[in-house]
Amino acid sequence: MSVRLRQILDCFEGVIPSVIATVDADGTPNVSYLSQVWFVDDEHVALSNQFFSKTAANVAATGQATVLVVDGRTGAQYMLDLAWVRSEAAGDLFDRMAAHLEAISTVHGTEQVMQLRSAEVYRVRICSPVPGNPIQLPEEQAHARGDRLPAAARLAGEIAAETDADAMIQRLLDGLGEAFGYEHAMVLVPELQADRLITLASRGYHAGGAGAETPMGRGAVGIAAKTGRAVRLCDMSRGRRLARAVESQAELDEGRTIPLPGLAEPQSQLAAPMLVQGQVSGVLFAEASERFRFGREDEQILSLLGAQLAASLRLAELEARSARAAAAAPAAPAQAQRSFQVRHYAFDDSVFIDGDYVIKGVPGRLLAHFLRQHLADGRRTFTNREIRLDASLRLPELKDNLETRLILLRRRLDERAGPVRLARPGRGVIELVLDGAPSLETVAA
Amino acid sequence: MAIGQAAEAKLAAFLAGPVMLVASVADPAARAATIGRVMGVRRAPPASLDLFIAGGQWTRMVESVRVGQALALTLCRPATYQTLQLKGPVTALVRADPAGAAVAHGYAEVTGAHLGALGVDASQMRPWLRTDDLVQVTFTPQEAFEQTPGPHAGSPMAFG
């Protein structure tokens, strides 16, 4: 009896190690464990060529391999009789496998990234169940329901209908919960010059975490950003403790960082790049404490929504550039008695209010700029356009993402609930909302 | 020829703790390899090992195996992925007696408890730990290979 590969996709998630056996020309067998077998299509699988030198030599001699794969959910075992077809050292399959391996090794804390040399593609001659498999239970997973494409299209349409950048992000996060049951999700944007990603908004965490950082190239989010490919992890029990150790030693200055929101013990993670014109403009991330929470379809859904959000944000950015300020808002009546102290460190643009860290990088520079202007001439209203043109702000990295930095700053200030907030009275307009009288001290580099 | 002191010491360490075991022999008719999970190892002095395999489950392997044929056995520690591969000829093949079956049952129990501690569900590991219809395959390791994933995987261990 041969089983269709599509019926046993949970064998190809890399949760339970597979076994590969080959024979040499003399009939001497070789057997070793294999971290993952990749599903290619109903007739093909791919194996990663990393270190398996004896296996590779045997396959070169005989053209054959036998592989035992295990369903990570049920434990069911299947034997695959494989015939080697070709080796791919580039292309979509290779890139997908390389991104996944890199994510695995950073999440599992493996110091040495296992370099993928090639994707070895095999035709599956027979896929047979090993006797003793459990009786398959009917699919109960929410993500196996068939009504999710319409839901994804609906949510993409709702994002496309929004004109305000912050509302797009909020609609996406709400929609992920309502339509797909993603309880924990984040939107992050790259801070290219600092080689890190910053949290813009989140749902389902105790702390909102706007402004929290995570390194580029590490973990599901970092790899999705670096490679522009979705990363999905189904069972993180193996590497969780190691991952924690890696995170804790990351070179972050404790006094100048916001803790990244996240589940204490995630089992499933999914990160999809927000691609626009071939560039990664952000990452959508979801996680869960159950194993196998996200399937292939979730990966596709999140990628599709990521592309929609990226395109909509880009359009909002372009529109905000041309918007002009409405008649200057009348200066708010001075109702504030209390005063507060703001300190801006030029070397990393970090801003502290009354000694507490607020934000750094571009949003920090923007906040310092607004306050400086306000103290100089009493202004409270600014436009995207003038910010972009202001040479003193030195904002080359803002070419395409001033809006997201303003959203980040605004959300961070709201989450802090401190004496400074930002309001958006109109498209492309920012209003400084103060509860008290600020003093600003800039500490030179 | 034995596998040498270094490999022997390593083998002893592997057999002292929880270990996952897979074996392979060629299916001569197909020039292909077969795979079977091994439910426990027993020393067969002076230099052989008895392996216990559920014959009803790993049918192709049990039907292929012959005395004199080469066998490969890979031992892997589930917690660390440290791996050792042994190769050598099959020297005897019998149905497991009650003492052998006791080795297999003890192995399944210890391994199950260890996998459980690593977070594997009992229902999930059941297909991997079957002990029905046990066959005893004796083989004499003659070569040992370091197989822990990494750049040194596949390198032969020093003979001594």
Side-chain angles (χ1 to χ4, degrees):
Chain A
M1 167 185 160
S2 194
V3 175
R4 287 182 64 209
L5 298 187
R6 215 172 280 277
Q7 293 175 298
I8 59 164
L9 289 176
D10 286 341
C11 291
F12 305 110
E13 300 290 2
V15 172
I16 307 292
S18 304
V19 178
I20 181 164
T22 53
V23 291
D24 67 13
D26 301 330
T28 301
N30 189 83
V31 59
S32 61
Y33 285 92
L34 190 58
S35 60
Q36 188 163 2
V37 174
W38 272 265
F39 171 82
V40 177
D41 58 39
D42 252 335
E43 268 136 41
H44 297 90
V45 294
L47 308 182
S48 60
N49 176 12
Q50 289 164 294
F51 305 120
F52 305 102
S53 50
K54 185 63 184 167
T55 298
N58 287 355
V59 169
T62 66
Q64 303 195 67
T66 305
V67 167
L68 177 71
V69 294
V70 183
D71 185 317
R73 219 191 284 258
T74 66
Q77 306 179 106
Y78 299 86
M79 200 70 83
L80 312 181
D81 272 18
L82 304 182
W84 184 82
V85 179
R86 64 180 178 274
S87 182
E88 294 182 5
D92 183 63
L93 175 67
F94 178 87
D95 290 346
R96 260 196 299 138
M97 288 169 62
H100 186 84
L101 286 171
E102 202 176 343
I104 290 280
S105 64
T106 65
V107 166
H108 288 195
T110 318
E111 272 310 307
Q112 237 176 337
V113 172
M114 297 203 267
Q115 203 69 43
L116 181 65
R117 289 187 205 143
S118 60
E120 300 295 313
V121 179
Y122 291 80
R123 186 167 57 80
V124 180
R125 288 196 289 225
I126 303 168
C127 167
S128 40
V130 172
N133 278 350
I135 295 151
Q136 290 284 343
L137 299 169
E139 270 292 351
E140 291 167 7
Q141 248 44 44
H143 66 245
R145 291 200 314 259
D147 55 356
R148 303 203 313 154
L149 180 60
R154 204 157 43 239
L155 182 53
E158 287 164 4
I159 295 165
E162 295 284 357
T163 53
D164 175 66
D166 204 349
M168 293 167 192
I169 293 167
Q170 198 54 51
R171 183 80 285 275
L172 172 89
L173 286 171
D174 292 346
L176 289 179
E178 293 156 9
F180 306 107
Y182 295 1
E183 295 303 329
H184 309 282
M186 288 182 229
V187 181
L188 301 99
V189 290
E191 184 100 311
L192 295 171
Q193 292 181 332
D195 211 29
R196 64 190 177 200
L197 291 114
I198 305 188
T199 308
L200 208 53
S202 69
R203 74 168 263 124
Y205 296 107
H206 181 63
E213 300 162 35
T214 189
M216 188 72 87
R218 281 255 177 105
V221 169
I223 300 294
K226 191 179 124 184
T227 63
R229 295 195 165 262
V231 171
R232 185 165 52 90
L233 304 170
C234 289
D235 182 340
M236 300 176 67
S237 49
R238 283 194 271 168
R240 229 170 24 215
R241 267 169 257 122
L242 285 168
R244 207 144 294 282
V246 171
E247 270 166 33
S248 64
Q249 51 176 265
E251 342 61 43
L252 296 175
D253 179 345
E254 296 243 324
R256 291 181 140 77
T257 52
I258 299 160
L260 187 69
L263 294 175
E265 299 208 333
Q267 284 284 14
S268 300
Q269 289 190 335
L270 173 59
M274 291 162 55
L275 288 169
V276 61
Q277 294 181 332
Q279 301 280 316
V280 177
S281 64
V283 172
L284 301 185
F285 173 75
E287 64 179 343
S289 51
E290 320 106 74
R291 302 162 66 242
F292 284 96
R293 175 61 183 80
F294 307 111
R296 270 151 222 274
E297 200 179 78
D298 292 272
E299 192 178 321
Q300 292 151 3
I301 288 169
L302 208 61
S303 300
L304 183 126
L305 294 171
Q308 177 63 60
L309 182 64
S312 290
L313 286 175
R314 177 64 56 87
L315 273 175
E317 181 73 44
L318 292 171
E319 290 202 341
R321 279 184 201 183
S322 52
R324 287 168 190 280
Q335 86 270 66
Q337 279 90 18
R338 84 181 201 98
S339 63
F340 58 94
Q341 188 219 25
V342 180
R343 186 170 286 144
H344 172 222
Y345 291 87
F347 80 94
D348 65 351
D349 284 311
S350 57
V351 172
F352 291 72
I353 295 181
D354 289 336
D356 293 332
Y357 173 71
V358 178
I359 195 85
K360 68 167 165 279
V362 170
R365 204 183 309 165
L366 289 169
L367 178 57
H369 172 76
F370 297 147
L371 290 167
R372 195 176 297 117
Q373 289 290 325
H374 171 71
L375 289 169
D377 59 13
R379 289 175 62 193
R380 288 167 186 268
T381 309
F382 304 85
T383 65
N384 280 33
R385 184 181 157 80
E386 70 179 289
I387 294 167
R388 192 176 299 285
L389 295 175
D390 193 328
S392 68
L393 280 170
R394 303 173 282 116
L395 299 175
E397 64 270 48
L398 278 191
K399 194 163 79 66
D400 295 317
N401 49 25
L402 176 59
E403 272 299 295
T404 52
R405 272 42 185 191
L406 288 168
I407 290 168
L408 166 55
L409 178 58
R410 185 150 75 94
R411 284 184 174 252
R412 171 63 179 155
L413 294 172
D414 283 349
E415 285 173 12
R416 280 192 84 246
V420 183
R421 301 216 190 185
L422 292 185
R424 304 298 301 268
R427 193 179 303 170
V429 184
I430 301 107
E431 186 187 346
L432 193 58
V433 180
L434 298 173
D435 178 18
S439 65
L440 176 66
E441 178 193 352
T442 294
V443 182
Chain B
M1 184 171 64
I3 55 172
Q5 283 174 4
E8 177 55 48
K10 197 150 195 176
L11 172 62
F14 267 96
L15 294 181
V19 63
M20 296 301 285
L21 304 160
V22 286
S24 176
V25 296
D27 173 351
R31 271 188 90 205
T34 64
I35 297 173
R37 291 195 190 273
V38 174
M39 291 295 107
V41 174
R42 179 173 64 190
R43 296 276 191 178
S48 297
L49 300 174
D50 293 334
L51 313 180
F52 300 95
I53 297 168
Q57 190 174 28
W58 307 104
T59 44
R60 190 174 171 204
M61 178 173 182
V62 170
E63 284 163 12
S64 299
V65 65
R66 300 280 182 276
V67 170
Q69 194 183 19
L71 179 144
L73 172 72
T74 288
L75 307 92
C76 177
R77 286 207 181 99
T80 62
Y81 298 108
Q82 280 181 296
T83 308
L84 175 70
Q85 183 173 212
L86 305 174
K87 294 185 186 182
V90 173
T91 53
L93 190 60
V94 294
R95 182 159 295 281
D97 61 13
V103 172
H105 292 130
Y107 169 86
E109 200 170 308
V110 167
T111 308
H114 183 65
L115 291 177
L118 291 176
V120 180
D121 293 341
S123 64
Q124 201 183 3
M125 66 176 93
R126 203 165 294 134
W128 322 334
L129 297 174
R130 291 180 66 108
T131 52
D132 42 333
D133 207 5
L134 286 166
V135 173
Q136 177 182 317
V137 179
T138 305
F139 94 116
T140 308
Q142 294 184 338
E143 293 176 286
F145 301 89
E146 170 67 50
Q147 208 93 21
T148 303
H152 303 299
S155 39
M157 292 191 57
F159 281 69

